[in-house]
């Protein structure tokens, strides 16, 4: 593995099977360099015709941070090529996992620093339920925080439900999701699992981007982070997330 930003981005983007972490051969990889790799991979995606449509947060629950062995949340980019249309089967991936998420649609620009949960939520026009499909390019989902940041937060695909609600009509800390795999409920959580309240995750995104001279733009989607642990998405399996007030989302392996 090279220690060159452009080459690392190209190599990660082109992986079709799990392989070694960047830090196995780049042990001093830091977060700033990892985000530079992520940004270069976005540039390559845009060069091949993809459109930037928002951001996702990852590892926003403390339990998941501990399980994955990382110490803080992360940000990653979303493009239109990551949207899984309703009813479409999931294309072949490396080792996909699925997790339910609360998804914000921004009605206005949100720029840090100093964004609070309240000011963040005021910029949201609609909230949807969703399922994110993550797919780490690293062997056995083993990585450090710089590794997973460089890998664009293990991003692969995501699907949105059809029910959108204004945030003022919901108590997002209590909005629940039931995660179902092949007809069996395997996990449940509420929005409080996401940084205590998903608006806190949105504020974190705005303030983190501000440190890089960036902002969240009107119309962007923001995936606020997995509410439950991710479950394996096997070929032929069916994963559904059922939300209290935001309908259901179903994906097929």
């Amino acid at each position: 593995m090279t220690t060159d930003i452009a080459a690392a981005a190209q190599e990660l983007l082109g992986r079709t099977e799990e392989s070694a972490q960047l830090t196995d051969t780049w042990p001093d990889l830091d977060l700033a360099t990892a985000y530079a790799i992520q940004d270069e991979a976005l540039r390559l995606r845009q060069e091949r015709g993809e459109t930037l449509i928002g951001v996702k947060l990852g590892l926003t629950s403390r339990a998941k941070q501990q399980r994955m062995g990382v110490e803080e949340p992360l940000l990653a980019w979303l493009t239109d090529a990551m949207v899984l249309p309703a009813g479409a089967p999931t294309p072949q991936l490396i080792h996909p996992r699925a997790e339910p998420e609360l998804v914000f649609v921004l009605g206005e620009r949100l720029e840090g620093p100093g964004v609070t949960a309240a000011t963040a939520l005021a910029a949201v026009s609609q909230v949807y339920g969703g399922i994110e499909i993550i797919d780490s390019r690293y062997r056995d989902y083993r990585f450090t925080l710089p590794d997973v940041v460089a890998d664009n937060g293990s991003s692969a695909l995501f699907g949105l439900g059809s029910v959108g609600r204004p945030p003022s009509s919901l108590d997002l800390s209590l909005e629940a999701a039931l995660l179902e795999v092949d007809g069996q409920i395997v996990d449940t959580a509420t929005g409080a699992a996401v940084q205590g309240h998903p608006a806190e995750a949105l504020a974190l995104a705005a303030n983190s981007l501000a440190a890089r001279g960036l902002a969240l733009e009107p119309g962007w989607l923001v995936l606020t982070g997995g509410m439950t642990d991710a479950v394996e998405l096997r070929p032929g399996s069916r994963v559904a997330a059922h939300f209290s007030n935001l309908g259901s989302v179903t994906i097929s392996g």
Side-chain angles (χ1 to χ4, degrees):
M1 171 60 69
T2 180
T3 55
D4 175 79
I5 287 172
Q10 184 79 54
E11 198 274 340
L12 282 172
L13 201 56
R15 282 189 183 181
T16 57
E17 58 184 29
E18 56 185 324
S19 190
Q21 306 175 97
L22 287 183
T23 52
D24 285 351
T25 53
W26 194 345
D28 59 347
L29 177 67
D30 60 21
L31 269 181
T33 305
Y35 275 112
I37 294 169
Q38 185 189 106
D39 290 346
E40 172 62 12
L42 173 64
R43 189 191 69 78
L44 293 171
R45 288 178 179 274
Q46 292 173 311
E47 195 173 73
R48 68 190 190 190
E50 297 181 32
T51 300
L52 177 63
I53 60 170
V55 300
K56 60 160 273 184
L57 290 108
L59 304 171
T60 47
S61 78
R62 185 59 184 155
K64 192 163 184 181
Q65 289 173 23
Q66 292 172 337
R67 191 178 72 78
M68 301 308 294
V70 299
E71 61 278 5
E72 61 185 85
L74 59 89
L75 276 180
W77 299 113
L78 300 175
T79 74
D80 59 342
M82 298 177 186
V83 178
L84 185 65
T90 302
Q92 184 174 354
L93 298 171
I94 300 170
H95 44 189
R97 298 179 181 180
E99 56 190 19
E101 308 227 357
L102 293 171
V103 183
F104 291 138
V105 180
L106 290 180
E108 58 187 65
R109 195 168 195 262
L110 186 59
E111 183 176 11
V115 174
T116 65
T119 56
L121 204 57
V124 174
S125 63
Q126 295 283 299
V127 184
Y128 288 85
I131 292 179
E132 184 184 10
I133 302 172
I134 57 174
D135 191 36
S136 175
R137 292 155 186 85
Y138 301 123
R139 187 176 296 117
D140 301 323
Y141 272 84
R142 283 185 57 251
F143 45 69
T144 67
L145 185 58
D147 283 311
V148 69
V149 166
D151 188 29
N152 200 45
S154 304
S155 298
L157 301 164
F158 66 93
L160 292 182
S162 59
V163 179
R165 298 276 299 273
S168 59
S169 70
L170 301 166
D171 185 337
L172 288 171
S173 64
L174 296 180
E175 182 68 20
L178 299 177
L179 185 62
E180 175 190 324
V181 179
D182 295 329
Q184 299 294 317
I185 300 299
V186 298
D187 208 347
T188 183
T190 67
V194 181
Q195 295 283 290
H197 191 290
E200 296 285 359
L202 181 60
L204 185 154
N207 292 327
S208 296
L209 284 175
R212 296 156 62 189
L214 303 169
L216 296 167
E217 301 296 342
W220 275 14
L221 303 178
V222 180
L223 275 63
T224 57
M227 298 169 71
T228 70
D229 204 358
V231 294
E232 184 180 355
L233 181 61
R234 298 183 180 91
S237 67
R238 174 182 170 278
V239 176
H242 306 289
F243 295 88
S244 301
N245 300 285
L246 297 171
S248 298
V249 187
T250 302
I251 59 171
S252 299

